[in-house]
Amino acid sequence: MTRGRLSRERPKMVAAKRALPWLAASLRPISSTAAGSLPKQVKIVEVGPRDGLQNEKNIVPTQVKISLINMLSETGLPVIEATSFVSPKWVPQMADHTEVLQGIQKFPGVSYPVLTPNLKGFQAAVAAGAKEVSIFGAASELFTKKNINCSIEESLQRFSEVMHAAGAASVPVRGYVSCVLGCPYEGKIAPAKVAEVSKKMYSMGCYEISLGDTIGVGTPGSMKEMLSAVMKEVPVGALAVHCHDTYGQALANTLVALQYDGTRAADSFTDACFFIQMGVSVVDSSVAGLGGCPYAQGASGNVATEDLVYMLHGLGIHTGVDLQKLMEAGVFICKALNRRTSSKVVQASCKL
Amino acid sequence: MGTVPSALKHCLSYQHLLKEQLWIGEPAAPPPALHPGQEFQISGLPDYVKIVEVGPRDGLQNEKMADHTEVMRGIERHPGVQYPVLTPNLQGFHSAIAAGATEISVFGAASESFNKMNINCSIEESIEKFEEVTKSARNMNIPVRGYVSCALGCPYEGNIIPAKVAEVSKQLYSMGCYEISLGDTIGVGTPGSMKRMLEAVMKEIPVSALAVHCHDTYGQALANILTAIQMGVGVVDSAVAGLGGCPYAKGATGNVATEDVLYMLNGLGINTGVNLYKVMEAGNFICTALNKKTNSKVAQASFKV
């Protein structure tokens, strides 16, 4: 489902302020033949303002959140998850959800989904003007129990209420599946379980399923195994990956998820090397890599959007995103949070 | 994702997660030969990848290196482990041999400007110097490893054409280097540029003689390494704890962390013969000694900060 700015032309990357030759050169789009069986474009779902900020210690004022989202809207990102309509008792950082959603500039062609954990949240979201919502399941019983005190089956029943209401209001719903490559409580997660939960959420009416490596333990091998199982149940066009960088594996895992044309036949040794062929073309990431991992103290969480965009552009894949503007948004929010960016691209560009 | 659970203390500890619940743990027994053959798993990845640990040299290069002789003489040499040393010229070579080195390295670059700024001569002149070194080394049966810097980009010239990398690599290989380590010196490469560069180099040099030395300055190292091993490269350079910043971008990281590379290779079922936990301990040791934070994400996730 192509949305937002992908349909607009972004013919040239703006050179970094330092205007060093290598940065411009590395951002120059290459011929798609060199990239083999990679998608020509990737939709980036920016989760910084919600998933990112939700896991940051310091509470961010409403106006700062609004400014961040506005800056992100300027970058060309097609989807920006704005906030979460969850009880402030549980997530104080998202207490200002209504003000944020109503305060942001809604750019044409950009989606601003919000998380809605239950029917009450959904109704509040729609009343506040939400045009798209997200719900989340998990591939782990223990994780679901610890998180929302019920079984996977019960959680899906709760979400079916949201799905019915969303269907009646013509509001698209995005589904998240947590712990797809490992669980902080159960450890190993069977790919078949991930496929089962994904299938259920897709059948309930979610237009897209975002598969989350919640604790970042996955590697290209486990990513491939999991996606192979899920793709038997859900079409690849409805899949997204949400990789955490806790063990530094996020970009390698994302790369594997992107590579696909469904066959293993190869004319040359080089072609054979892109054997891991998955074909996902939607990737979640967080500006500045906002959002640490709540399960490993001091560890990083979300992959940084800047680093993801750097890789995709280097591969000649179109994202519609202006990396320079994205970096500026990241610098802005890190200053506001008084924290160092987790993006290596930004660190390398001497903007801390 | 979703709400933040409060039951952090009920999580499995990292040791439990890595050892018992997930597939990461002790590696399989090391293969009989030091230099692997061309066996590939059905999936197309090599069965075995040799890790070349460059932390003590490339990583600590920013610290004083005047004590090289003491280091060479002082280390405990384990059987089956190589301890190569960098020798930029004939004088360095002779000192290395006198101190007991049994393997040496020389480094070229795929960029004229980089060579000029770094060692004040052209690529051709530097090749001539290395020929002297490799000739002496051959006479003494000392193996020589060749490095090619700026394989995916240069801090002065910008884009580097793959054909140039292939040309310099070929020259080093022809003069007798047993292995050529292709270095993304400023870490600007991405899987696309890695693939194009390797395709060009592999026309001139057998893949079994190639290694990749990826810098993580832009966070691309593991994706680039994955691409290289998908193309058959079976040797990867890395530095424990990701030691060694980038001298061209203040505050930026440099070498990819050995721990993070091992984590990925273990997860892919690729044998390395290396014990990840012991590497993490070594990383913890050197970071404590240097009073600096590790650049390894695996270590960050595992040790209490």
Side-chain angles (χ1 to χ4, degrees):
Chain A
M1 203 179 203
T2 30
R3 286 180 157 238
R5 300 294 179 86
L6 288 179
S7 51
R8 280 214 212 161
E9 275 307 306
R10 291 262 170 179
K12 226 180 183 176
M13 289 308 302
V14 173
K17 278 190 179 145
R18 289 190 151 231
L20 287 167
W22 44 258
L23 185 55
S26 63
L27 296 177
R28 192 183 310 131
I30 62 171
S31 105
S32 59
T33 52
S37 54
L38 293 169
K40 291 203 164 46
Q41 54 192 28
V42 161
K43 176 177 87 173
I44 296 184
V45 174
E46 170 60 48
V47 300
R50 199 278 305 166
D51 191 12
L53 290 183
Q54 186 164 286
N55 287 307
E56 291 288 329
K57 289 192 309 287
N58 301 329
I59 299 286
V60 169
T62 306
Q63 192 47 55
V64 170
K65 288 186 184 118
I66 289 171
S67 299
L68 171 66
I69 295 170
N70 289 344
M71 287 179 82
L72 291 170
S73 295
E74 294 272 0
T75 65
L77 284 161
V79 184
I80 302 167
E81 199 174 55
T83 187
S84 177
F85 279 77
V86 68
S87 163
K89 200 173 52 177
W90 295 114
V91 190
Q93 180 79 278
M94 300 284 126
D96 54 1
H97 39 65
T98 302
E99 293 89 337
V100 168
L101 190 58
Q102 290 181 337
I104 57 174
Q105 254 183 297
K106 307 245 177 52
F107 280 55
V110 182
S111 252
Y112 300 94
V114 297
L115 208 70
T116 53
N118 48 39
L119 189 60
K120 186 172 163 207
F122 173 78
Q123 287 161 343
V126 171
K131 297 278 185 287
E132 182 178 326
V133 300
S134 315
I135 59 168
F136 56 93
S140 155
E141 288 288 355
L142 262 180
F143 185 85
T144 308
K145 183 96 190 125
K146 298 276 188 195
N147 228 14
I148 51 178
N149 199 24
C150 63
S151 69
I152 295 179
E153 192 59 45
E154 285 162 347
S155 73
L156 292 177
Q157 276 165 14
R158 285 186 203 173
F159 293 137
S160 67
E161 296 181 329
V162 175
M163 300 303 308
H164 283 131
S170 292
V171 171
V173 182
R174 187 184 207 233
Y176 283 96
V177 181
S178 306
C179 298
V180 300
L181 297 177
C183 170
Y185 307 103
E186 281 184 20
K188 232 178 181 155
I189 295 290
K193 189 72 186 173
V194 181
E196 180 195 324
V197 176
S198 305
K199 182 183 182 176
K200 284 190 176 148
M201 292 179 76
Y202 185 66
S203 310
M204 278 164 60
C206 293
Y207 77 88
E208 195 167 87
I209 306 295
S210 172
L211 303 163
D213 182 13
T214 305
I215 46 171
V217 288
T219 59
S222 59
M223 170 63 82
K224 180 188 180 245
E225 216 188 345
M226 182 275 296
L227 282 176
S228 297
V230 175
M231 274 158 55
K232 289 185 181 128
E233 309 291 352
V234 181
V236 69
L239 292 178
V241 290
H242 183 116
C243 297
H244 277 195
D245 205 37
T246 319
Y247 291 82
Q249 310 295 308
L251 285 189
N253 293 345
T254 302
L255 180 64
V256 158
L258 297 178
Q259 295 167 330
Y260 179 67
D261 79 351
T263 65
R264 298 252 315 263
D267 289 328
S268 73
F269 179 71
T270 320
D271 286 345
C273 297
F274 281 89
F275 76 97
I276 309 173
Q277 298 169 328
M278 297 285 107
V280 172
S281 61
V282 184
V283 181
D284 298 358
S285 60
S286 175
V287 63
L290 288 181
C293 179
Y295 305 97
Q297 206 184 10
S300 60
N302 286 306
V303 67
T305 308
E306 299 92 317
D307 300 358
L308 172 67
V309 168
Y310 186 96
M311 180 176 82
L312 295 178
H313 288 182
L315 280 163
I317 294 172
H318 182 61
T319 63
V321 176
D322 181 328
L323 179 54
Q324 178 64 24
K325 287 188 176 169
L326 180 63
M327 284 163 67
E328 285 166 16
V331 168
F332 164 77
I333 191 61
C334 286
K335 280 206 174 98
L337 283 166
N338 192 27
R339 62 157 271 177
R340 202 168 174 232
T341 182
S342 295
S343 158
K344 291 215 164 168
V345 170
V346 173
Q347 285 170 25
S349 309
C350 296
K351 293 180 202 293
L352 296 171
Chain B
M1 295 168 67
T3 48
V4 178
S6 56
L8 174 57
K9 62 182 185 296
H10 298 302
C11 283
L12 299 171
S13 70
Y14 88 92
Q15 289 100 336
H16 192 87
L17 258 183
L18 297 185
K19 264 200 171 120
E20 292 169 40
Q21 294 295 337
L22 301 172
W23 29 254
I24 302 157
E26 304 298 325
L34 258 183
H35 297 287
Q38 285 292 314
E39 286 88 30
F40 287 89
Q41 299 171 1
I42 289 172
S43 58
L45 293 176
D47 273 330
Y48 170 78
V49 162
K50 178 177 85 172
I51 304 267
V52 175
E53 171 58 47
V54 299
R57 198 278 305 165
D58 191 11
L60 293 182
Q61 194 153 270
N62 292 328
E63 311 292 323
K64 68 178 176 102
M65 282 297 286
D67 56 355
H68 43 70
T69 303
E70 292 97 274
V71 170
M72 277 308 299
R73 289 203 176 130
I75 56 176
E76 205 181 297
R77 286 165 187 270
H78 286 234
V81 183
Q82 289 297 318
Y83 299 91
V85 292
L86 208 70
T87 53
N89 49 40
L90 208 50
Q91 188 191 7
F93 173 73
H94 289 310
S95 308
I97 300 305
T102 51
E103 182 176 326
I104 61 150
S105 314
V106 295
F107 56 93
S111 156
E112 291 286 358
S113 313
F114 186 84
N115 243 30
K116 187 90 189 131
M117 300 295 277
N118 234 17
I119 53 177
N120 199 25
C121 64
S122 69
I123 294 178
E124 199 170 324
E125 285 162 349
S126 70
I127 296 285
E128 279 166 22
K129 284 189 197 170
F130 299 144
E131 264 167 347
E132 294 179 338
V133 173
T134 52
K135 206 167 157 192
S136 303
R138 262 206 316 274
N139 290 340
M140 300 178 70
N141 282 329
I142 302 273
V144 184
R145 190 185 205 234
Y147 283 89
V148 179
S149 304
C150 298
L152 297 176
C154 169
Y156 310 106
E157 283 181 20
N159 220 14
I160 294 293
I161 56 169
K164 189 71 186 174
V165 183
E167 183 194 322
V168 175
S169 304
K170 185 179 181 181
Q171 283 174 318
L172 288 175
Y173 186 66
S174 306
M175 71 171 75
C177 292
Y178 76 88
E179 195 166 87
I180 307 297
S181 172
L182 303 162
D184 183 11
T185 306
I186 46 170
V188 288
T190 58
S193 58
M194 170 65 83
K195 182 172 187 258
R196 281 196 308 283
M197 183 275 293
L198 283 176
E199 279 169 350
V201 175
M202 277 159 56
K203 287 189 182 124
E204 309 290 347
I205 298 176
V207 70
S208 55
L210 291 178
V212 289
H213 184 116
C214 297
H215 277 193
D216 204 36
T217 319
Y218 289 81
Q220 308 296 306
L222 284 189
N224 292 344
I225 289 168
L226 178 65
T227 301
I229 65 176
Q230 283 176 334
M231 291 176 74
V233 173
V235 184
V236 176
D237 297 0
S238 57
V240 62
L243 287 181
C246 178
Y248 305 98
K250 195 179 159 191
T253 55
N255 286 308
V256 66
T258 303
E259 298 92 317
D260 299 359
V261 173
L262 281 174
Y263 187 97
M264 181 174 78
L265 297 179
N266 283 356
L268 281 163
I270 293 173
N271 194 2
T272 60
V274 182
N275 183 320
L276 172 55
Y277 300 105
K278 291 192 175 172
V279 175
M280 284 165 69
E281 281 167 20
N284 198 29
F285 163 79
I286 193 63
C287 287
T288 305
L290 287 170
N291 192 27
K292 62 165 273 181
K293 202 174 171 227
T294 181
N295 283 322
S296 158
K297 290 223 162 163
V298 171
Q300 284 170 27
S302 307
F303 291 117
K304 294 249 183 302
V305 171

